[in-house]
């Protein structure tokens, strides 16, 4: 069985995808230099594939809410885009089977709240990819913190993403900050580069109703020692760093995602997206 420990497999997969795209390119329309229809939510609510983010952002003056589960994590999230190119999302991460306190009590499972920001520095052009800077969970415990740069290029109906990030996507978890905010990508660029790892993914959307996705996630779950889920669920490396998924939009404002992640888990993600200031139910005179 091939896993992330075999870099040659990654090279073969990427090469095959590129060759297939080059062969099919004459039959596809040119990229329309827009983030849609690839503005879908990731597991944790920010625009992305499953575990990894992309350089895509929600359209201006829109918001979404959602829920997802991929054992042992359960996410409750909301995201909003108040300005063009800016996306802000907040989430509560619940770890199933891990008590919030050692003494138990009515608090239930362990829960962590966090806030993320993503800004699209450069929108996609005819030849240039979209490039975005993301900051995940920069304050407090920083259990799921990361700073990343991602680039996405659309050759419709494909969307290719390549990124580089530390912390959750890097070689080791980031330390807590207490009361402050810390951004290693600004304060210690060399350290950020040394701690970061590559991630990549592909989306295929032949219709606005559904899309297929495939990604390489570099998350070292067994090495995320500050994550309360690690001792119980991730004492060993996960079977695979490759994830597969299917997205389906039954209506214009709703979406259901089904995925197979880490080589042994089924994931589900349900979300709803709306425009700010536009009534959900049409007003009739």
């Amino acid at each position: 069985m091939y896993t992330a420990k075999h870099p040659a497999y990654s090279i073969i997969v990427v090469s095959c995808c590129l060759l297939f795209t080059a062969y099919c390119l004459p039959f596809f329309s040119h990229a329309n230099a827009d983030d849609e229809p690839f503005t879908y939510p990731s597991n944790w609510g920010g625009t992305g594939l499953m575990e990894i983010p992309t350089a895509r952002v929600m359209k201006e003056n829109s918001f979404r809410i959602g829920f997802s589960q991929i054992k042992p994590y359960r996410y409750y999230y909301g995201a909003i885009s108040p300005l063009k190119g800016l996306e802000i999302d907040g989430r509560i991460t619940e770890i199933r089977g891990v008590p919030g306190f050692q003494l138990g009590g009515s608090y239930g499972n362990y829960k962590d709240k966090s806030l993320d920001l993503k800004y699209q520095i450069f929108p996609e052009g005819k030849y240039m990819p979209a490039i975005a800077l993301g900051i995940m969970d920069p304050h407090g415990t920083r259990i799921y913190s990361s700073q990343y740069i991602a680039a996405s290029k659309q050759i419709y109906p494909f969307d290719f993403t390549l990124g580089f990030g530390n912390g959750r996507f890097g070689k080791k978890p980031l330390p807590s900050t207490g009361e402050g905010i810390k951004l290693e990508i600004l304060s210690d660029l060399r350290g950020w580069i040394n701690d970061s790892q590559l991630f990549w993914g592909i989306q295929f959307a032949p219709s606005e109703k559904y899309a297929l996705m495939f990604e390489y996630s570099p998350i070292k779950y067994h090495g995320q020692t500050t994550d309360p889920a690690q001792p119980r669920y991730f004492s060993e490396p996960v079977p695979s760093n490759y994830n597969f998924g299917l997205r389906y939009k039954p209506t214009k404002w709703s979406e259901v995602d089904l995925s197979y992640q880490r080589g042994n888990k089924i994931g589900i993600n349900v979300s709803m997206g709306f425009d700010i200031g536009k009534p959900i139910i049409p007003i009739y005179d």
Side-chain angles (χ1 to χ4, degrees), residues 258-271:
L258 186 65
S259 58
Y260 182 68
Q261 302 182 37
R262 306 186 214 130
N264 60 4
K265 299 298 178 187
I266 300 294
I268 187 168
N269 190 351
V270 179
S271 64

Side-chain angles (χ1 to χ4, degrees), residues 41 43-45 64-68 75-78 90-91 269-271:
N43 289 351
W44 34 273
R64 66 168 164 246
I65 56 175
F67 157 89
S68 71
Y75 300 96
Y76 308 89
Y77 60 79
R91 66 181 181 275
N269 190 351
V270 179
S271 64

Side-chain angles (χ1 to χ4, degrees), residues 203-243:
Q203 295 187 80
F204 172 57
S207 165
E208 292 185 355
K209 282 286 188 180
Y210 64 91
L212 301 173
M213 49 187 170
F214 172 67
E215 71 176 13
Y216 169 75
S217 170
I219 299 176
K220 296 182 177 180
Y221 286 94
H222 63 289
Q224 296 287 316
T225 53
T226 59
D227 184 353
Q230 188 270 337
R232 177 168 181 175
Y233 295 103
F234 303 110
S235 58
E236 300 291 335
V238 296
S240 176
N241 289 86
Y242 297 96
N243 302 324

Side-chain angles (χ1 to χ4, degrees), residues 98-172:
V98 176
F101 299 99
Q102 291 184 351
L103 298 178
S106 60
Y107 186 79
N109 295 317
Y110 185 94
K111 300 177 182 68
D112 177 80
K113 61 182 184 296
S114 56
L115 181 71
D116 306 333
L117 301 172
K118 183 199 287 190
Y119 183 68
Q120 193 177 75
I121 306 170
F122 300 108
E124 182 176 0
K126 185 174 182 180
Y127 302 107
M128 292 296 295
I131 299 177
L133 170 66
I135 299 170
M136 299 174 62
D137 195 13
H139 168 77
T141 58
R142 298 209 301 172
I143 295 174
Y144 307 109
S145 182
S146 177
Q147 299 121 52
Y148 64 85
I149 292 177
S152 297
K153 187 73 182 82
Q154 184 181 142
I155 304 176
Y156 196 77
F158 291 93
D159 191 50
F160 300 87
T161 291
L162 179 66
F164 194 62
N166 71 341
R168 187 68 172 170
F169 303 118
K171 300 173 183 176
K172 61 183 181 182

Side-chain angles (χ1 to χ4, degrees), residues 2-187:
Y2 288 107
T3 69
K5 295 181 181 179
H6 297 77
Y9 183 54
S10 300
I11 296 172
I12 292 172
V13 171
V14 175
S15 299
C16 290
C17 291
L18 291 175
L19 288 172
F20 176 75
T21 303
Y23 174 78
C24 297
L25 187 59
F27 303 99
F28 298 146
S29 61
H30 292 291
N32 53 20
D34 191 10
D35 289 340
E36 294 185 322
F38 300 105
T39 53
Y40 306 109
S42 60
N43 289 351
W44 34 273
T47 300
L49 280 86
M50 289 159 282
E51 292 184 326
I52 71 168
T54 65
R56 307 300 178 191
V57 291
M58 301 165 59
K59 85 178 170 181
E60 184 181 7
N61 293 325
S62 65
F63 72 96
R64 66 168 164 246
I65 56 175
F67 157 89
S68 71
Q69 179 163 312
I70 172 70
K71 188 177 180 180
Y73 304 105
R74 179 177 289 177
Y75 300 96
Y76 308 89
Y77 60 79
I80 186 171
S81 178
L83 301 171
K84 184 175 178 61
L86 176 64
E87 182 176 299
I88 304 170
D89 66 89
R91 66 181 181 275
I92 294 176
T93 303
E94 178 182 357
I95 305 176
R96 307 291 292 173
V98 176
F101 299 99
Q102 291 184 351
L103 298 178
S106 60
Y107 186 79
N109 295 317
Y110 185 94
K111 300 177 182 68
D112 177 80
K113 61 182 184 296
S114 56
L115 181 71
D116 306 333
L117 301 172
K118 183 199 287 190
Y119 183 68
Q120 193 177 75
I121 306 170
F122 300 108
E124 182 176 0
K126 185 174 182 180
Y127 302 107
M128 292 296 295
I131 299 177
L133 170 66
I135 299 170
M136 299 174 62
D137 195 13
H139 168 77
T141 58
R142 298 209 301 172
I143 295 174
Y144 307 109
S145 182
S146 177
Q147 299 121 52
Y148 64 85
I149 292 177
S152 297
K153 187 73 182 82
Q154 184 181 142
I155 304 176
Y156 196 77
F158 291 93
D159 191 50
F160 300 87
T161 291
L162 179 66
F164 194 62
N166 71 341
R168 187 68 172 170
F169 303 118
K171 300 173 183 176
K172 61 183 181 182
L174 297 175
S176 63
T177 63
E179 297 298 326
I181 292 177
K182 191 171 182 181
L183 302 174
E184 284 80 359
I185 193 171
L186 299 178
S187 62

